[in-house]
Amino acid sequence: MDLQKLMDLPGTLAAFTYTDRGELQAHMLREGTELTPQVLDLLTRSCVANQAIAAMEARGWEALTGQSGFQPLKGFSVVGLEWSVVVNGNAGVVVKNRDANYEATFNALQSA
Amino acid sequence: MHIVKQLMAIPGVIAAGEYAYRGDRFSYQGALTDEFARMASILCRANTLSVNMQSEIFDSFAENCGCRPVQGWIVRGDKVTVCAVGNYFSFIENRDELLNDVMTIMRAKVGDVQDDLLANLYARLGGDTKEALY
């Protein structure tokens, strides 16, 4: 995983990878950001949880409604007041809302 | 123009709607049945509750870290994406630039979600539980 490539996305404050259990593995922080490795470590645990919940919902939705196109899951994002966290698999980025390009970020995480 | 109508005018938006934070009612337009829209509203409310709970934990860990109050969330599926901002949701196709356009419109139209979101989400039907919560 090339974290520097993720850091080059518009508005990125942090890029990180984590284990299947949600433990922070590697990270890069933009200079001047108030985010800390400790916050990222908490964030990565929620990333694992949210992706698991979303995968369950996607599976259940497809089974119940007969609609397709939800699986396999390609990512999850939580949009906060000032920044959003965008994750897919075992990698994620934190992007400033005003500069966020969600589509490019999801695509970058998909191909990373 | 109302946000749901505006979203539905964009090619690639499958359905859009509004759910009450209390979970007792919803409205929608697009390719969903009433029952599917009801399920979507429950799903959106549950996810919104969940990410707000997480943001409260972040905030107690790192005050004013910039995540609270949560404005919304996105589930990116293989061909379909579900977006929620405030108490509005939309199901959209994964087309180029559509997600960014939809998020821009939803954020602009809904405005900043305020701190009373959790009080509304936890409110009992017909009651004001803000006092009980805090």
Side-chain angles (χ1 to χ4, degrees):
Chain A
M1 179 65 60
D2 188 350
L3 292 184
Q4 186 55 55
K5 218 171 179 178
L6 296 176
M7 288 297 289
D8 292 339
L9 289 163
T12 304
L13 298 173
F16 53 86
T17 57
Y18 49 92
T19 66
D20 291 341
R21 293 166 63 91
E23 290 146 349
L24 185 65
Q25 263 183 331
H27 70 275
M28 288 181 82
L29 288 168
R30 175 85 55 215
E31 210 176 300
T33 177
E34 288 177 20
L35 292 168
T36 63
Q38 286 75 23
V39 171
L40 289 185
D41 186 63
L42 191 60
L43 201 57
T44 52
R45 287 162 207 274
S46 76
C47 293
V48 169
N50 286 334
Q51 283 191 102
I53 292 168
M56 177 271 288
E57 289 170 347
R59 200 170 181 82
W61 184 268
E62 287 196 355
L64 273 168
T65 65
Q67 293 176 343
S68 60
F70 294 88
Q71 295 188 95
L73 207 68
K74 295 285 173 71
F76 187 88
S77 174
V78 176
V79 182
L81 183 65
E82 289 164 24
W83 47 257
S84 302
V85 57
V86 183
V87 294
N88 186 24
N90 291 72
V93 292
V94 177
V95 288
K96 261 191 235 166
N97 284 351
R98 66 165 181 270
D99 302 323
N101 182 333
Y102 294 103
E103 200 139 348
T105 309
F106 276 122
N107 290 342
L109 286 166
Q110 184 66 31
S111 56
Chain B
M1 193 190 289
H2 189 268
I3 179 170
V4 172
K5 209 172 174 185
Q6 188 172 353
L7 289 170
M8 286 310 298
I10 306 171
V13 175
I14 300 164
E18 180 182 6
Y19 65 96
Y21 285 132
R22 292 171 178 179
D24 53 343
R25 60 191 65 173
F26 61 90
S27 60
Y28 72 100
Q29 288 183 27
L32 291 173
T33 64
D34 281 359
E35 177 57 14
F36 293 172
R38 189 184 71 85
M39 283 163 45
S41 299
I42 293 168
L43 183 148
C44 289
R45 183 175 181 274
N47 282 353
T48 300
L49 256 172
S50 173
V51 293
N52 271 280
M53 174 271 290
Q54 291 166 9
S55 78
E56 296 254 312
I57 296 171
F58 291 139
D59 200 61
S60 65
F61 202 71
E63 212 173 331
N64 300 323
C65 70
C67 64
R68 184 167 168 253
V70 169
Q71 305 297 302
W73 47 267
I74 302 165
V75 173
R76 185 80 161 165
D78 187 31
K79 296 189 178 73
V80 179
T81 295
V82 182
C83 320
V85 174
N87 62 325
Y88 289 88
F89 66 87
S90 57
F91 283 51
I92 65 172
E93 292 173 10
N94 289 356
R95 291 189 186 185
D96 281 350
E97 288 307 314
L98 183 58
L99 176 60
N100 289 334
D101 289 347
V102 164
M103 284 305 288
T104 301
I105 290 171
M106 291 178 87
R107 287 299 313 277
K109 282 283 198 176
V110 173
D112 277 351
V113 174
Q114 303 298 317
D115 255 338
D116 58 357
L117 174 72
L118 273 181
N120 288 321
L121 278 166
Y122 284 121
R124 284 174 297 196
L125 297 183
D128 177 8
T129 55
K130 186 155 187 170
E131 197 177 321
L133 262 176
Y134 301 106

